[in-house]
Amino acid sequence: MKKIIVAIDGFSSCGKSTMAKDLAREIQYIYIDSGAMYRAVTLYCLRHRLFLPNGEVNAPSLEKEMGRIRVSFRLNPETHAPETFLNDENVEKDIRTMEVSAMVSPVSAIPFVRTALVAAQQEMGKEKGIVMDGRDIGTTVFPHAELKIFVTASPEIRAQRRYEELKAKGQKADYEAILENVRQRDYIDQHRETSPLRRAEDAILLDNSHMSIEEQKEWLLQQYHKATQE
Ligand code: DC
């Protein structure tokens, strides 16, 4: 069967990565979480003190170091889940903290960061057979992707999901703070100058506010079968 590119975009915390990961496993495609790449660069900035006291990024310093930042993915041999590596260090857990979530938007709004990460993402998709999720996959990274999905859900439902995710991992979680972070990121993601979050004209819209993970999985698999038959 011909291999395609599946691009899944949408708002933060609306279950994109769960559905993308499930689909990739089912159809034996590579799964790439592009948000993890922006998170890894943010972690690098936090560790190297590249944030200014006003919360902005020290862009000239980051630009000089950008060539030294390598983000890659490796499969965990036990769970078979892909994990994020920053310069060969497994940072899968470190990139999911509230600290990184709170600082990732300004980093992902920087044009040279996007240029570098988009180029790396396009390289990963060269052979097709890939499911990638993010904000600009169907619009900028793979405008010719054979299947594009744009996922959305209400901010309250998304905050609740992230809250439960953090709790399940034994991390600290405050629902109101998470909801505020979700709203802020929606705003910044949609209003930044470079590659703002928007639905590609040919993307299929999915509002999963009231769908179970199983229902979503089934729906997405159907879309995949349709796209590969066309
Ligand atoms: O999907 P996520 O919440 O892990 O993404 C983290 C941040 O990265 C999010 O605030 C927006 C940014 N991002 C982006 O700008 N472009 C992408 N393709 C993926 C994520």
Side-chain angles (χ1 to χ4, degrees), residues 12 16 34-36 38-39 96 104-105 108 114 134-137 162 185 189 192:
S12 65
K16 294 187 300 292
S34 68
Y38 291 93
R39 286 174 177 273
R96 311 282 170 197
V104 65
S105 283
S108 56
R114 302 205 71 85
R135 305 293 188 284
D136 61 342
I137 310 305
R162 185 145 280 195
R185 285 203 290 156
D189 287 351
R192 68 170 171 237

Side-chain angles (χ1 to χ4, degrees), residues 70-113:
R70 249 180 318 107
V71 185
S72 56
F73 297 93
R74 295 182 201 165
L75 284 186
N76 179 310
E78 276 158 34
T79 62
H80 301 286
E83 293 180 332
T84 313
F85 283 70
L86 171 61
N87 292 344
D88 296 323
E89 177 194 346
N90 187 336
V91 292
E92 186 55 36
K93 276 212 182 88
D94 311 68
I95 61 167
R96 311 282 170 197
T97 60
M98 276 302 281
E99 197 188 7
V100 170
S101 297
M103 304 306 275
V104 65
S105 283
V107 174
S108 56
I110 300 174
F112 66 78
V113 172

Side-chain angles (χ1 to χ4, degrees), residues 124-175:
M124 292 170 183
K126 238 176 24 190
E127 311 284 335
K128 301 203 175 191
I130 193 168
V131 182
M132 193 177 289
D133 75 347
R135 305 293 188 284
D136 61 342
I137 310 305
T139 51
T140 306
V141 182
F142 298 121
H144 303 298
E146 290 83 352
L147 176 59
K148 299 181 187 178
I149 311 288
F150 190 88
V151 198
T152 182
S154 76
E156 290 77 12
I157 286 182
R158 288 184 282 135
Q160 185 64 31
R161 287 178 187 161
R162 185 145 280 195
Y163 173 84
E164 281 160 16
E165 213 176 273
L166 287 171
K167 278 277 179 208
K169 285 183 195 157
Q171 294 185 16
K172 267 201 309 204
D174 169 350
Y175 173 79

